[in-house]
Amino acid sequence: DGGITQSPKYLFRKEGQNVTLSCEQNLNHDAMYWYRQDPGQGLRLIYYSQIVNDFQKGDIAEGYSVSREKKESFPLTVTSAQKNPTAFYLCASSKQNMNTEAFFGQGTRLTVV
Amino acid sequence: AQTVTQSQPEMSVQEAETVTLSCTYDTSENNYYLFWYKQPPSRQMILVIRQEAYKQQNATENRFSVNFQKAAKSFSLKISDSQLGDTAMYFCAFMKGQGAQKLVFGQGTRLTINP
């Protein structure tokens, strides 16, 4: 079945450590996105990529990094520079024009202790 | 920059009732798209309905319909004959028609359908 997969579902890390969240899609979508979800703030865009080997910062990119070496994969690294990394992270993908529909993964809950 | 505002943090209705969720947005664009996404307790985001700004006719998907008022920049979602499975967070979202293809979300409305 086609879809978008995030792993792991839950992730715990010690403060000061970098951590990478995985996002894989087999929908043959060109565009991929990372959002952060906090209570009462909706979803905020971290990074997005509309084509392989290219990506752009979203509204809250500080403390995060991404890569897009393959069409199917768009991993997100939460670095130690991110001041408040504990959150729910959602990955999405869409055809080049997102006005059709964006497909979301099931999310990763990151807890930094 | 575009902004999306959902002024109702929480709503609660009885099963089978009709409920309307509010959404306003701010943009200088003339060509754009609007969406309502549902996030049930599983946290899986699901597209409920979409509206193209250039279309005057309001979108409808079964029990879900929108009231799109372009001049007022308002985009409300009406759920008819509400069901227990409609219990979820609902997010209104905006996307420009040209340029960077990214969704801008509102803060969300938590909707509870009571039996």
Side-chain angles (χ1 to χ4, degrees), chain A residues 2 8 10 12 51 53 60 62 78 80-81 87 94 97-99 102 104:
Chain A
Y10 300 97
F12 295 87
I51 196 168
N53 292 323
I60 56 166
E62 186 176 351
V78 184
S80 57
S94 70
N97 291 323
M98 204 174 179
N99 59 65
F104 286 80

Side-chain angles (χ1 to χ4, degrees), chain A residues 33 35 37 48 99 104 106, chain B residues 37 39 44 50 100-101 103:
Chain A
Y33 312 79
Y35 284 89
Q37 186 176 13
Y48 64 105
N99 59 65
F104 286 80
Q106 293 192 307
Chain B
Y37 277 85
Q39 188 182 43
Q44 178 73 52
R50 62 187 287 271
Q101 302 283 296
L103 280 168

Side-chain angles (χ1 to χ4, degrees), chain A residues 5-79:
Chain A
T5 302
Q6 289 185 244
S7 61
K9 191 171 182 179
Y10 300 97
L11 191 54
F12 295 87
R13 278 295 181 270
K14 290 185 178 180
E15 191 172 341
Q17 290 182 335
N18 291 354
V19 60
T20 298
L21 282 60
S22 171
C23 179
E24 303 274 337
Q25 54 97 0
N26 60 4
L27 299 166
N28 199 32
H29 285 168
D30 290 307
M32 296 187 74
Y33 312 79
W34 275 106
Y35 284 89
R36 170 178 171 144
Q37 186 176 13
D38 295 285
Q41 296 195 49
L43 278 68
R44 293 181 291 167
L45 183 64
I46 304 172
Y47 268 98
Y48 64 105
S49 167
Q50 294 183 287
I51 196 168
V52 175
N53 292 323
D54 188 40
F55 48 82
Q56 288 77 41
K57 292 182 178 180
D59 301 316
I60 56 166
E62 186 176 351
Y64 299 98
S65 66
V66 292
S67 63
R68 187 83 188 277
E69 297 177 1
K70 298 187 300 181
K71 188 175 185 178
E72 301 79 18
S73 178
F74 191 42
L76 173 74
T77 297
V78 184
T79 75

Side-chain angles (χ1 to χ4, degrees), chain A residues 85-103:
Chain A
T86 294
F88 187 67
Y89 292 87
L90 279 163
C91 180
S93 72
S94 70
K95 293 180 182 179
Q96 187 56 250
N97 291 323
M98 204 174 179
N99 59 65
T100 51
E101 179 178 355
F103 289 83

Side-chain angles (χ1 to χ4, degrees), chain B residues 28-96:
Chain B
S28 58
E29 302 284 330
N30 191 49
N31 180 23
Y32 53 87
Y33 301 85
L34 295 164
F35 305 82
W36 278 98
Y37 277 85
K38 168 184 177 180
Q39 188 182 43
S42 67
R43 305 201 80 169
Q44 178 73 52
M45 294 285 283
I46 302 164
L47 178 66
V48 175
I49 199 165
R50 62 187 287 271
Q51 174 82 41
E52 295 94 335
Y54 62 84
K55 289 187 177 180
Q56 292 185 336
Q57 187 172 5
N58 289 324
T60 299
E61 289 286 343
N62 299 315
R63 298 182 295 108
F64 299 87
S65 61
V66 298
N67 183 5
F68 174 49
Q69 301 291 326
K70 191 172 184 178
K73 297 181 181 174
S74 171
F75 183 61
S76 61
L77 174 70
K78 185 173 83 171
I79 305 174
S80 303
D81 186 26
S82 58
Q83 301 174 358
L84 297 179
D86 295 333
T87 293
M89 283 288 288
Y90 286 82
F91 293 97
C92 179
F94 169 99
M95 191 194 71
K96 292 194 297 185

